[in-house]
Amino acid sequence: MVGTQLNWDQYATAWARLHGGFDPRAAAPPVRAWLRLAYHVGYVLGRLRVTPTTVTVVGVLLCFGVPLVATRPQDGPFLGALLVLLASVADSVDGAVAVVSNRTTRLGYVYDSVADRLGEVAWLVAFWLLGAPGALVAAGGGLSWLHEYVRARATSAGMREIGAVTVGERPTRVAVAIVGLLLAGLAGLVEPDLAAGTITMATAVWVLLAGFGLGQLLAAVRGALIDVD
């Protein structure tokens, strides 16, 4: 049964409750604009009775398309970047549909997290296919997974807030994937061999940000839980 749909203020309050108390109305203008866009799209989809799970599945399929198109001559990386962008929109909208139509569930939260991790694996596979070293790709994936795992375990251990907004959060990974693919595409137009070096640098940036972000998160978790014990 679809519940009564929420207006923006009700949505923002409900969203904050699900995201460690972070109020989207107090976010930086670009973040606030992005979340409000997700709310409006989610509101429309909710009125059309599109389920959050449907949006999540579409987002995962878009991610799986990234490695399939990334190695196409000339336009592959550009198409990959477009799919990453569309998948990131779907990732924001599925949660918006759930909140705005009062369909949030614990199971849906788990599905969304699994979908995010699968999507990032697909992006990194595309990096590898374009020429990034396998060890570097694996390091990026491992550090990003560990980042999310630490936060989840810390929450289970009693950390009530999100801990810290680090430089290694998912929006950062989305940005690195999009920019990295676009730059690799542009470099490939100049000289095909440059694409591999460019995507390798993008992967290295992913690894550095993920590693530094993990350090930030671990410090925040220690500060939040040291008094609990």
Side-chain angles (χ1 to χ4, degrees):
M1 180 70 69
V2 179
T4 303
Q5 293 184 333
L6 309 180
N7 61 33
W8 164 247
D9 285 327
Q10 293 170 328
Y11 170 82
T13 300
W15 191 95
R17 189 167 57 249
L18 295 169
H19 293 82
F22 179 76
D23 191 340
R25 290 165 294 192
V31 176
R32 186 167 64 247
W34 177 267
L35 294 175
R36 188 144 193 168
L37 172 64
Y39 160 74
H40 286 299
V41 175
Y43 184 87
V44 172
L45 293 179
R47 291 293 297 271
L48 295 173
R49 297 188 178 272
V50 176
T51 67
T53 300
T54 299
V55 182
T56 299
V57 170
V58 170
V60 173
L61 293 177
L62 288 169
C63 289
F64 286 171
V66 176
L68 297 179
V69 304
T71 55
R72 282 171 45 124
Q74 296 186 331
D75 64 352
F78 299 111
L79 289 176
L82 176 60
L83 291 181
V84 172
L85 176 61
L86 293 176
S88 68
V89 172
D91 180 44
S92 295
V93 169
D94 63 357
V97 172
V99 173
V100 80
S101 57
N102 287 322
R103 289 178 172 177
T104 55
T105 64
R106 294 180 181 180
L107 187 59
Y109 180 78
V110 173
Y111 286 160
D112 187 57
S113 297
V114 171
D116 289 347
R117 303 292 79 74
L118 290 175
E120 290 169 5
V121 168
W123 305 345
L124 288 168
V125 168
F127 282 18
W128 174 65
L129 292 174
L130 285 169
L136 198 61
V137 168
L143 287 169
S144 297
W145 174 84
L146 192 56
H147 184 286
E148 302 301 331
Y149 178 78
V150 168
R151 175 167 285 146
R153 294 298 296 170
T155 301
S156 298
M159 186 177 73
R160 296 183 178 181
E161 303 297 328
I162 60 176
V165 179
T166 75
V167 297
E169 302 289 347
R170 179 169 168 80
T172 300
R173 300 193 288 270
V174 170
V176 171
I178 293 174
V179 174
L181 288 168
L182 288 175
L183 292 178
L186 291 173
L189 292 178
V190 175
E191 172 59 51
D193 291 339
L194 291 178
T198 303
I199 204 65
T200 296
M201 287 190 292
T203 310
V205 169
W206 180 312
V207 170
L208 289 174
L209 292 175
F212 191 75
L214 179 60
Q216 288 180 299
L217 181 60
L218 287 171
V221 168
R222 184 178 185 279
L225 296 182
I226 192 169
D227 293 332
V228 175
D229 297 332

